[in-house]
Amino acid sequence: MLTYIVRRLLAMVPVLIGVSIIVFLFIHMIPGDPAVAILGERATPESVARMRTELGLDKPIWEQYFIYIGNIFQGDWGRSIRSNTPIIDEIRVKFPATAELAIAAMIIALLIGLPAGIISAARRNSLFDSTAMFVALIGVSMPVFWLGLMLAFLFSVALGWLPFSGRLDSTLVLQTKTGFMVWDALMTANWNALGNSFAHLILPAVTLSTIPMAIIARMTRSSLLEELGQDYVRTAKAMGFNERRVLLGHAMKNASLPVVTTIGLQVGALLSGAILTETIFSWPGIGRWIFSAIQARDYPIVQGAALLITLVFMAVNLLVDISYAFLDPRIRYH
Amino acid sequence: MKKRVICSVLVAVMLLSMSALPISAGTTDFNDVFGHWAQADIMTLVDKGIISGYPDGTFQPDKSVTRAEFIKILAAALQLPQAAPAGVSPFSDVAMTDWFFEPVMEGVQNNLIGGFPDGTFLPNDPITREQVAKILVRAKGIDETSTVLMSQSQEIISKIPDWSQVSEWAQLFVINAIAADLMKGDPSGNFRPLASLTRAETAVIGVRMMVATPTPTPTAPPVTGGAFIFGRGADCVKLDPADVTDGESARGTVQIYDTLVQFKGETTIVEPALATSWEVSTDNLTWTFHLRQGVKFHDGADFNADAVLFNFERWWDESNAYHVGTFEYFSSMFNGFKGTEGCTFTKMEKVSDSAVRFTLAQPYAPLLSTLAMFCFAIASPTAIKAQGPENYGTSTQYPGVGTGAFKVVEWTKDDKLVLDRNPDYWGYKANVDQVILRVIPDNAARYLALKAGEIQGMEGANPEDAKAAAADPTLQVLLRPPMNVGTVLFKVDAPPFDNVNVRKALAMAINKQPIVDAFYGATGLVANQFLPPSLWGYNKELKDYAYDPVAAKQMLADAGYTDANPLTIDFWYMPNPRPYFPDPKAIAEAIAADLSKIGVVVNLKTEDWSTYLDDRKNGKFGLWMLGWTGDNGDPDNFLFFHYGVPRAGEGNYNNPALIKILLDAQKEVDQAKRDLLYQQAAVLIHDDCPRIFIGHNQVPLLFSTKVSGYVPNPTGTEFFNTVSIAP
């Protein structure tokens, strides 16, 4: 098992190098560069040339790449072209913001999606089943942007129950250590900030949870149905085990492999795909950061963030693969 | 983008359906007011019922105003208390039955106006500008004998060529009216004391008095304390103003820093800031600035000549150890860095602890306006040295340190910038304890945050949200005076637009007024030249190409483009709104529709903004949309930037006569002469038609009604120390 994990970790290195090359090439291939993006209407050939020199963009592209990758290996992620802030400092703040949101969304998605899928499978073709699957269909196809604005309008503007912009009230101060607001507030026993950051988390997390929730519910239902049709289920039932035990104890355990795979993929998608939710709810996370960096052609940010997301994706996949071994004793890694 | 549009529409529909109140727009359209330089003010007073037009649908803005008419308008604008009942008229020529009896009495009882020694009031005589000066100074409660310092009066008098014509009794009033910014001279500086006031001038004065006089409690002190939370679309890039060019960075840094001179209130008039006064040598090459004494930076360091020189040398000298960054504004405004051919400065030196001197390579008329820009703010040298030039102003740990009304407390990137009141500020100490600049990237979400009370002010509203806000009793809309222009450009050195008649045909085919009405909210102005009407240098006489699709089609036919052989063009528009084009796609579609009416086949095209700017710079487009937002209120910043050097990005438009005028204007220090030069330039540009000028936008700013004291400035950089928040 351990050798397997080490092998997988080592295999990440060439993938990361490959990703860095591809991202580097792509971002440099798009027309427009940071100088043009910074200068806006005042971009003239002279001012752009002057600024490119100041920013070090006049070097050959391969040279820029080797400087970049060399620094990465020394633990230096570089600095933003526009703001000159070290990338690693921004990642320390923005990654926890997105992670907190994604974790909250995933908890909601699991708490609702899993039971809904199981009940739908158990009561196939019942009213609950068709309603749940219809709602799930809406969940997948509802535009996140629209849903977010509607929730914001209803719960913040019309009812005034929940805040919707940012992670904390503007005037509240919380010294963050980990970057996870809820966690930091809990650890410092700052109950006011805890309640406030939790309230700020609700609307964006609910918005972000809709798509994974719907996918998990449908996936759980279909893989459970498949298992329920297997011989061992019939045998178990024939042997007189009660329904619930057959369903949850036997069938669900076997059905969980594809479900876990789906969850793993969704975690990756949540981390990188939270951009719309982060935009509506003014959440200072990684998605918005990358998006504005692409618009501004802030190469080091785009590269750094792409590497980070690749890392997270691969780590989650590794965890999913390892979990297989626990869920299915037939799977052994060597 | 599409999602955003759909969502905005949905939210707008929802909001409108909840509060379906009509928007009060100028319902009376005068056929002689549109495009007039005083249009906005005239419409404001008309909407408020303070002034009205004539039954024939005209307003006659240039007609003179009588004494009776003026006092009636002013009484309404000031909301003067009703006159105590009088048994008999104090004037032989004012009867109690006259329509103007009531306002004249109000003016007399408030000590604004009196009669003549012979007991007459002469109500039907035109009012002169010097009489107006007296009334306004009285209305503002200014003691004309004590408020203006001797040195300031001398300075004011020296700038009025026709000072000798001012009547003796009116001299102190005229000086005070100018010092208090109640009245101005004409573009050449003449005050014209005996000229009569026009209806348009009256409207401007009426609005100014209305704004300047808070009713109903004129003496109420501003509310102090609390936090002013302002929502915006993006964060500051850096808190080092010298090394940024974006408006959002400027919005943050002007609260933290001061410049040597600054823009006054809602104008681009330059007033003293960290420099209290200045002198220019007779050859206009040496400028000496006297610095304010006793000012300290937020870190406790002293502000003095060494600090000023440290900053200027950091910007100017590429070999300076602290010159880390691009310093783009310095090099573009002053034509490069130290040692570059053509750089404005040749020498920077300390005269004493409280004075610095700059020597220029050649006279540079826009110097003061340029130094008032946010980017030429003085930062603490000790802070820059302590933080290191590569870190300065990049985070909470490395904050920007200036002398301004607020200091940095906390900066969470892409979330909020928290600033605390500087209790030791040299100028007007802030009313609020805290300013918080919140980043809310989506326009619709930002508007909802304002409605939900999470922020108290915002910029960048979708046009439909700005309309909804105008009808919302809990919100107020302020308009920033226009200093921008949205245009359509031609590549003039390649077919088909190398033919000036083709360009003119297109200009005549676009019906600008409906486009401006539809897409600039109620506040846009049709543009017929580069400069907005609020700027000096604006050519009032210039007549725009009249909208005439028939003649335009004929001109195209003469150039060889007929229905059988139509002119087919790609028309490029930008993907995102700009201050001068609130909705570029819709505007492009409207223009394309107008062009198709004269038989032009238009392919609309767009691309990502950075790519768009790059392609435009490299001359890829034949017909495209782009505009300009002015930096400092000087016409040079509009005209020389674009036409001083022929460029592919300007469609290779090259008119040596125009370039000469613009260079002359840059060196000429007499503003009256510069004014005329820019007016000439406008005519040359009009005749060559390298651009079609579409509109000037007055950017709306939305606030909770609890907010007061916010003064929008055309440059977009506004000081928050005057803002108050009601509890």
Side-chain angles (χ1 to χ4, degrees), chain A residues 17-228:
Chain A
I17 292 179
V19 166
S20 75
I21 293 176
I22 292 169
V23 171
F24 196 91
L25 285 179
F26 271 139
I27 183 84
H28 281 82
M29 264 160 53
I30 330 176
D33 67 17
V36 172
I38 291 171
L39 289 165
E41 280 88 352
R42 53 179 59 250
T44 60
E46 307 90 79
S47 61
V48 169
R50 199 162 53 214
M51 188 168 267
R52 286 179 65 91
T53 316
E54 299 264 354
L55 297 174
L57 296 169
D58 51 345
K59 297 193 177 86
I61 182 165
W62 56 268
E63 194 183 332
Q64 289 182 46
Y65 177 76
F66 281 112
I67 291 173
Y68 175 75
I69 205 78
N71 289 338
I72 285 272
F73 276 112
Q74 294 168 34
D76 177 4
W77 292 60
R79 283 172 179 254
S80 154
I81 289 181
R82 254 164 90 85
S83 72
N84 216 33
T85 325
I87 307 263
I88 196 77
D89 289 358
E90 297 224 20
I91 287 179
R92 278 204 198 100
V93 182
K94 296 203 158 89
F95 185 70
T98 300
E100 183 175 71
L101 180 59
I103 291 169
M106 199 34 115
I107 291 173
I108 297 172
L110 288 173
L111 284 180
I112 299 175
L114 270 183
I118 294 173
I119 299 172
S120 293
R123 302 189 193 157
R124 191 180 178 184
N125 296 333
S126 66
L127 181 65
F128 180 91
D129 180 25
S130 37
T131 314
M133 288 308 112
F134 180 68
V135 172
L137 186 68
I138 293 177
V140 183
S141 34
M142 175 122 59
V144 171
F145 217 92
W146 185 82
L147 176 70
L149 280 176
M150 288 301 123
L151 288 176
F153 182 77
L154 184 62
F155 290 102
S156 296
V157 180
L159 297 172
W161 291 353
L162 289 169
F164 85 97
S165 71
R167 301 178 70 188
L168 211 56
D169 274 358
S170 305
T171 47
L172 262 185
V173 180
L174 175 68
Q175 290 300 329
T176 60
K177 216 167 176 178
T178 60
F180 291 83
M181 288 264 175
V182 175
W183 177 258
D184 284 334
L186 196 65
M187 287 295 107
T188 52
N190 187 340
W191 309 124
N192 189 18
L194 178 67
N196 195 272
S197 58
F198 193 77
H200 274 86
L201 193 53
I202 295 175
L203 288 182
V206 167
T207 307
L208 190 58
S209 72
T210 50
I211 290 177
M213 187 194 297
I215 291 175
I216 289 169
R218 292 181 72 90
M219 196 67 201
T220 307
R221 178 181 178 271
S222 64
S223 62
L224 196 53
L225 279 178
E226 200 181 314
E227 290 299 324
L228 288 177

Side-chain angles (χ1 to χ4, degrees), chain B residues 648-725:
Chain B
E650 302 302 325
N652 287 321
Y653 171 55
N654 184 359
N655 181 339
L658 175 66
I659 294 172
K660 185 176 180 307
I661 288 179
L662 295 178
L663 280 170
D664 288 349
Q666 206 172 51
K667 291 182 197 127
E668 175 61 64
V669 284
D670 181 345
Q671 188 171 317
K673 289 182 187 158
R674 293 185 71 206
D675 187 46
L676 291 175
L677 287 170
Y678 289 122
Q679 295 200 33
Q680 280 175 30
V683 175
L684 290 185
I685 297 167
H686 173 85
D687 293 345
D688 289 340
C689 198
R691 295 188 185 226
I692 306 173
F693 301 98
I694 305 292
H696 306 289
N697 190 24
Q698 305 193 63
V699 177
L701 295 150
L702 275 49
F703 294 94
S704 146
T705 43
K706 289 179 182 167
V707 176
S708 58
Y710 193 101
V711 185
N713 186 281
T715 61
T717 51
E718 286 131 10
F719 303 104
F720 290 178
N721 53 339
T722 55
V723 172
S724 292
I725 309 287

Side-chain angles (χ1 to χ4, degrees), chain B residues 33 92 160 196 203 218 228 242 322 351 410 441 560 563 647 687 692 716:
Chain B
V33 165
S92 58
I160 304 176
S196 54
F228 175 48
Y322 301 100
V351 181
E410 188 208 333
D563 286 341
R647 291 198 178 98
D687 293 345
I692 306 173

Side-chain angles (χ1 to χ4, degrees), chain B residues 386-465:
Chain B
Q387 297 180 13
E390 70 285 352
N391 294 322
Y392 180 70
T394 56
S395 63
T396 307
Q397 194 190 347
Y398 302 116
V401 180
T403 55
F406 295 93
K407 37 185 163 186
V408 181
V409 181
E410 188 208 333
W411 186 19
T412 312
K413 292 274 177 73
D414 295 330
D415 186 15
K416 62 182 175 184
L417 172 63
V418 182
L419 307 173
D420 270 1
R421 178 177 191 264
N422 174 8
D424 305 317
Y425 187 47
W426 59 266
Y428 183 81
K429 293 185 180 62
N431 294 332
V432 289
D433 294 331
Q434 211 168 46
V435 159
I436 300 173
L437 292 167
R438 283 280 317 273
V439 180
I440 304 181
D442 182 61
N443 288 354
R446 201 176 321 118
Y447 178 63
L448 288 185
L450 181 68
K451 299 241 337 160
E454 293 187 16
I455 55 175
Q456 294 138 356
M458 64 172 277
E459 183 168 348
N462 290 324
E464 61 272 29
D465 289 343

